Amino acid sequence: MTAPGVHEDVRDRPPVTERRLHPVTPLRRAWAPVAVLIGWALHDPDQAQRQLSRLTTTTLLTGLAVLIPAAALYGFLTWWFTHFAVTESELRIRTGLLFRRTAHIRLERIQAIDVTQPLLARVAGVAKLRLDVIGTDKKDELAFLGAGEARALRAELLARAAGFAPETAHEVGEAPSREILRVPPGVLAVSLLLTGATWGWLLVAAVVVPLLWTATHSLWTVLAAAVPLFGAAGASSVGRFVAEYDWTLGESPDGLRIDHGLLDRAHETVPPGRVQTVRLVEPLLWRRWRSPGSSGTGSGGGWVRVELDVAGSSNSLLLPVAPRELAESVVARVLPGVSVPPREALSRPPRRARWCVPLWWRGYGLAVTDAVFAARHGLLRRSLSLVPHAKVQSVRLVQGPWQRARGVADVHVDTGANKSVTARLRDATEAAALLHSQAERSRTGRRDARPDRWMA
């Protein structure tokens, strides 16, 4: 310890050790020049075809002999000039071959650190570290590190962000995790088959493709319309199955751990205290469906999908599918002290609201408890949004001319994730009272809220 009145010499501080990425990283960077050529060819295929037809075998081989070493050299140099270092207060990343860029990431502003492994990275035994930082929309990343090094670095950064001393952060290691639930692949597959989006796109394709063929008899026109339609159907079924395969949720001192992915594995963390909104989504065919062995207890049974809005993080999914009673228990872990209001506790808008939104007005509902503002919307695909009072940033009352004529209004609740939750078509007197009471609940909730700290 330095004596009072004596300034510590910076030369006495331990030197900052800069590290490089994994040696396989140049292989990833080497594709950049090749990607430029491919992009040019796709942008102007006719010109690319004419240029290729003019090339002789000798010219083509000479071009490849120049391009491949140039790409390899580019990959090596970008790897060689990329360094990162962990100091007492920040993560420093230096990149750039011609133009240097240094990112200074303050450790206390880190909100989430995810470890992802694309398929080829899993084969090579490396991983990518992605960081969510307050105040930035784009994630900083370190790609690639050895899989073990990536997890160790993640643990060290989280330990330092939690306030552990630099000399002990290495010893803390990754916080232990306890598995809460795992989504079986069969349940995930059935849930996707019971989702209307896949069948909707297939139905549109079944109608549009024959009509286009009858009208144009052009194969290219049919393909131009069919490929996006079938691609959308595949993305909403096969793509989601691949991304959400083996979804595992665990609990640890640094938050809820999420592991998922069939080809690309992702290891994510839901930061404690940073969740602004939780949504329970119920497609129509999920509401009465029960897994084998499900008790069917809770708020009506059925399956739900749990989504999130997290401040400073792109994590948006907590559970792809789960029995409702199990999902509600998970919500209680994400939002301590919050319980999901039962369906019968949600009050509908007054009947005169049907003149503003015919039929669909029945899908709106509202419940305000001591802990949460809960608003529901949707008739076929219901979505119940839960906002803890402490997370409300502002409250607004909006009333259009047609709503004024019918004596109803909308109350918008804005959160720290730049999102809004709306109680639609409430009685105008009720909406005015809700505006003032919710503002008071928010002030009280923020005053009594627990601090947003890692491992706290």
Side-chain angles (χ1 to χ4, degrees):
M1 180 180 295
T2 305
V6 178
H7 296 284
E8 181 184 6
D9 194 335
V10 295
R11 291 174 296 182
D12 296 334
R13 298 178 182 176
V16 176
T17 303
E18 290 194 335
R19 291 179 275 177
R20 286 195 174 93
L21 302 176
H22 195 276
V24 304
T25 305
L27 298 177
R28 168 180 176 254
R29 305 286 178 86
W31 281 98
V34 180
V36 171
L37 293 178
I38 295 176
W40 167 73
L42 294 176
H43 177 71
D44 192 354
D46 294 334
Q47 180 66 18
Q49 185 176 5
R50 285 194 296 269
Q51 294 295 336
L52 286 175
S53 63
R54 296 175 183 175
L55 296 178
T56 64
T57 303
T58 303
T59 305
L60 184 60
L61 293 176
T62 303
L64 291 176
V66 173
L67 178 62
I68 292 176
L73 179 62
Y74 171 81
F76 174 79
L77 291 177
T78 53
W79 168 77
W80 182 262
F81 286 102
T82 299
H83 303 82
F84 70 94
V86 181
T87 69
E88 293 183 0
S89 60
E90 66 182 15
L91 170 65
R92 187 184 305 157
I93 305 175
R94 293 198 298 117
T95 59
L97 179 58
L98 299 178
F99 301 96
R100 302 294 290 168
R101 173 183 177 270
T102 303
H104 298 268
I105 303 172
R106 302 289 298 181
L107 298 180
E108 68 270 13
R109 299 185 67 81
I110 294 177
Q111 295 304 307
I113 304 177
D114 302 331
V115 178
T116 60
Q117 285 186 288
L119 179 60
L120 294 179
R122 292 172 63 187
V123 174
V126 297
K128 180 189 302 183
L129 208 65
R130 305 183 66 190
L131 301 100
D132 276 320
V133 183
I134 297 177
T136 60
D137 295 328
K138 183 181 178 181
K139 283 189 174 185
D140 285 286
E141 65 178 29
L142 293 173
F144 288 94
L145 300 170
E149 181 184 7
R151 291 183 179 273
L153 179 59
R154 175 187 180 276
E156 179 185 353
L157 293 176
L158 293 184
R160 293 200 183 191
F164 286 91
E167 57 271 13
T168 61
H170 291 283
E171 304 172 1
V172 173
E174 188 171 25
S177 177
R178 181 180 64 86
E179 182 177 312
I180 299 176
L181 65 88
R182 184 186 299 268
V183 178
V187 171
L188 178 61
V190 172
S191 70
L192 294 176
L193 291 176
L194 295 176
T195 302
T198 302
W199 300 105
W201 284 113
L202 292 177
L203 180 61
V204 171
V207 173
V208 170
V209 171
L211 288 177
L212 283 177
W213 177 255
T214 303
T216 64
H217 290 284
S218 171
L219 179 61
W220 294 110
T221 301
V222 171
L223 288 177
V227 170
L229 291 175
F230 285 109
S236 61
S237 55
V238 179
R240 278 181 53 182
F241 181 83
V242 171
E244 298 170 2
Y245 179 83
D246 193 30
W247 193 280
T248 305
L249 184 67
E251 188 177 38
S252 72
D254 57 6
L256 291 180
R257 301 268 183 86
I258 300 174
D259 292 275
H260 62 93
L262 178 60
L263 301 179
D264 298 350
R265 292 295 294 178
H267 177 84
E268 303 170 354
T269 302
V270 178
R274 300 299 298 178
V275 176
Q276 307 292 305
T277 307
V278 174
R279 286 182 301 278
L280 277 71
V281 181
E282 296 177 282
L284 178 63
L285 298 179
W286 285 19
R287 295 176 198 167
R288 297 300 176 186
W289 189 276
R290 291 184 175 88
S291 302
S294 174
S295 64
T297 61
S299 302
W303 284 349
V304 297
R305 177 182 176 91
V306 184
E307 300 175 350
L308 303 171
D309 290 332
V310 182
S313 175
S314 61
N315 294 338
S316 61
L317 181 60
L318 183 62
L319 284 175
V321 58
R324 186 180 179 91
E325 62 271 17
L326 185 56
E328 290 182 0
S329 68
V330 172
V331 170
R333 297 174 184 270
V334 177
L335 303 177
V338 172
S339 59
V340 179
R343 293 190 179 112
E344 56 271 16
L346 297 168
S347 62
R348 285 182 176 177
R351 288 188 60 83
R352 61 181 179 273
R354 68 185 185 275
W355 299 106
C356 298
V357 184
L359 185 61
W360 245 250
W361 70 277
R362 294 178 176 274
Y364 298 123
L366 173 68
V368 181
T369 68
D370 293 338
V372 71
F373 179 97
R376 186 185 68 192
H377 71 274
L379 196 59
L380 299 179
R381 187 177 185 269
R382 290 178 180 170
S383 178
L384 177 63
S385 299
L386 308 174
V387 183
H389 298 312
K391 302 302 181 182
V392 175
Q393 300 296 313
S394 62
V395 187
R396 296 174 288 121
L397 188 148
V398 178
Q399 190 179 39
W402 188 249
Q403 290 178 319
R404 286 198 297 271
R406 297 299 169 184
V408 294
D410 297 340
V411 177
H412 297 262
V413 167
D414 303 319
T415 70
N418 296 324
K419 301 291 181 66
S420 295
V421 174
T422 305
R424 292 290 313 276
L425 304 177
R426 309 308 301 179
D427 178 83
T429 303
E430 176 196 359
L434 180 62
L435 178 71
H436 298 289
S437 61
Q438 184 58 47
E440 180 59 30
R441 291 190 190 96
S442 301
R443 283 192 292 269
T444 305
R446 284 193 295 271
R447 183 188 62 198
D448 300 334
R450 294 161 55 182
D452 298 343
R453 290 298 305 271
W454 290 99
M455 302 181 185

